[in-house]
Amino acid sequence: MKMFKGFQLRQKIANIIIKDHVIRYVELKQTTPLILSRCEERYLPSGIIQEGKIVDRETLETILEECVSDWKLKNRRVRFIVPDPVVVIRTISLPKGLEEDEIRSYLFMELGTTIHLPFEEPVFDYTILERTNEKLVILLFAAPEHIVKSYSELLEDVKLRPIAADISPLCIYRLFHTADQTKKEEHLLLVQVDLSAINVSAFHQHRPVFMRQLLFEGKFEQWEKKVDAFGNIVLEWKGKEDEPLRQLEDVYKEIERVMSFYRFSIQQGNGQISRILLTGDHPYLPQIYATMRERFDIVEMLSENLIVSDNSKTIPPSYHLALGLALKEGTS
């Protein structure tokens, strides 16, 4: 006897983001159109994770166990993101004669010897940027193996089953691409402004070209949690009144520097940023968007019509990263 197809239950994959200040989780009902089944978040006390590195594992494990229990995720398959501060993206020229199936082995041999990274024993992936008779150029993504392993083992210890890791620029780009807000010929700058850092990454030909991160000095405990009219947790600043605005001024200057670097150093004057895509979980994101529109005039945010929620609840930009992770293919 065969079960009716409509009665088959398929366990969804959990998509978890763990940042210095928060744990977020989303689950999709379907991808076309994009319908969100569930989203949850749990803010972390200051100091448990610092610049992507787990400092107080015992407390973090306790909190994550509570999340797994409250969100009913036990034994679920899970995707997670490698923290931005530990990720390195490099453009590297390889011997032009290397075949496709030889590249990974070559990188295994040369990382740490002829190809230098700011850490030992990396985990890595790559994409081919250019292959001609004269040269072979790849984009290398790398992170310290022990840090990636610390997150994977943490997830396993709270009865989850990690099946895939990703990096935030690829997740954010994937989401904007789903919204039909990317074009292959354009030079796009993704700007992700979060509570503790800004991540800036450039894309061309649907590929990342480089990534840069700027950390903020502000302390998380100076933000007070409140619940808005939609039932979402929002943060209000309780420190020195001008401090977040001063930090944001640094953000705009950094974006200008990145755009100049991209135009003159990376593109050698032959290309420049044509559009800026803005997202993030910073409480001042609407003000940031307004200011950036005035300064750059090429800024846009994710289309509000892209995401539909099961309960018609408004989905804030703070969940965009997890949504982009949920759209990762090949692991469902």
Side-chain angles (χ1 to χ4, degrees), residues 25-144:
Y25 152 71
V26 302
E27 184 181 305
L28 292 182
K29 184 174 184 179
Q30 64 182 58
T31 57
T32 310
L34 187 56
I35 299 180
L36 182 67
S37 173
R38 191 175 181 194
C39 60
E40 303 283 355
E41 66 183 358
R42 171 80 177 265
Y43 282 96
L44 297 172
S46 180
I48 290 181
I49 303 174
Q50 292 180 355
E51 296 182 20
K53 298 167 186 170
I54 299 172
V55 177
D56 185 348
R57 191 189 193 281
E58 186 177 344
T59 302
L60 181 59
E61 183 175 340
T62 299
I63 292 172
L64 198 52
E65 280 177 340
E66 292 172 359
C67 292
V68 169
S69 175
D70 293 345
W71 303 339
K72 297 177 173 57
L73 301 179
K74 189 175 178 180
N75 295 323
R76 292 277 289 277
R77 293 174 298 159
V78 61
R79 303 182 187 99
F80 68 101
I81 283 187
V82 180
D84 289 334
V86 305
V87 174
V88 170
I89 298 181
R90 293 256 176 92
T91 302
I92 297 175
S93 295
L94 300 182
K96 61 184 180 182
L98 279 179
E99 297 295 332
E100 184 110 17
D101 58 359
E102 296 173 329
I103 294 176
R104 190 168 294 275
S105 297
Y106 178 86
L107 291 171
F108 267 116
M109 294 291 291
E110 299 302 320
L111 282 170
T113 54
T114 62
I115 302 173
H116 297 287
L117 294 172
F119 44 79
E120 296 180 356
E121 297 186 11
V123 290
F124 67 88
D125 203 350
Y126 68 91
T127 182
I128 297 174
L129 290 181
E130 185 178 4
R131 181 192 280 278
T132 66
N133 291 330
E134 287 75 38
K135 60 182 177 179
L136 170 60
V137 182
I138 67 162
L139 195 70
L140 178 73
F141 310 92

Side-chain angles (χ1 to χ4, degrees), residues 181-309:
Q181 289 176 258
T182 64
K183 291 183 174 62
K184 188 175 182 179
E185 68 277 5
E186 282 195 295
H187 299 268
L188 298 173
L189 192 71
L190 267 61
V191 178
Q192 184 183 335
V193 187
D194 290 335
L195 198 65
S196 57
I198 169 179
N199 190 293
V200 183
S201 50
F203 281 73
H204 183 52
Q205 303 288 328
H206 294 318
R207 295 187 184 124
V209 179
F210 83 103
M211 179 178 81
R212 181 174 294 174
Q213 187 174 70
L214 174 70
L215 298 174
F216 291 146
E217 296 175 5
K219 295 181 179 178
F220 175 62
E221 57 263 25
Q222 292 176 302
W223 292 93
E224 183 178 302
K225 295 188 286 291
K226 294 193 173 182
V227 180
D228 68 9
F230 300 102
N232 298 314
I233 293 177
V234 294
L235 300 175
E236 287 189 4
W237 178 254
K238 294 300 177 184
K240 289 184 180 178
E241 190 173 340
D242 65 337
E243 190 171 342
L245 298 175
R246 177 179 55 78
Q247 288 180 342
L248 292 176
E249 191 61 39
D250 291 338
V251 167
Y252 309 135
K253 289 176 182 176
E254 179 68 12
I255 292 171
E256 288 172 349
R257 282 193 291 268
V258 167
M259 291 173 71
S260 178
F261 173 77
Y262 182 84
R263 180 178 182 180
F264 296 110
S265 296
I266 294 181
Q267 295 295 329
Q268 300 294 310
N270 297 319
Q272 61 181 330
I273 297 299
S274 51
R275 206 143 46 91
I276 299 173
L277 304 176
L278 175 68
T279 187
D281 69 10
H282 198 286
Y284 289 4
L285 198 63
Q287 296 96 311
I288 294 169
Y289 174 65
T291 303
M292 285 181 62
R293 288 281 296 179
E294 289 177 5
R295 292 199 179 203
F296 304 111
D297 195 37
I298 52 172
V299 185
E300 61 185 69
M301 296 184 70
L302 189 73
S303 169
E304 293 183 0
N305 300 324
L306 175 68
I307 309 162
V308 179
S309 172

Side-chain angles (χ1 to χ4, degrees), residues 117-178:
L117 294 172
F119 44 79
E120 296 180 356
E121 297 186 11
V123 290
F124 67 88
D125 203 350
Y126 68 91
T127 182
I128 297 174
L129 290 181
E130 185 178 4
R131 181 192 280 278
T132 66
N133 291 330
E134 287 75 38
K135 60 182 177 179
L136 170 60
V137 182
I138 67 162
L139 195 70
L140 178 73
F141 310 92
E145 182 182 29
H146 73 277
I147 291 182
V148 178
K149 198 173 179 182
S150 70
Y151 280 90
S152 179
E153 289 176 347
L154 173 69
L155 293 168
E156 289 174 350
D157 287 346
V158 297
K159 304 298 186 290
L160 293 171
R161 293 185 289 150
I163 58 168
D166 208 344
I167 62 173
S168 69
L170 298 183
C171 293
I172 294 297
Y173 190 85
R174 193 180 296 127
L175 186 62
F176 276 99
H177 187 68
T178 300

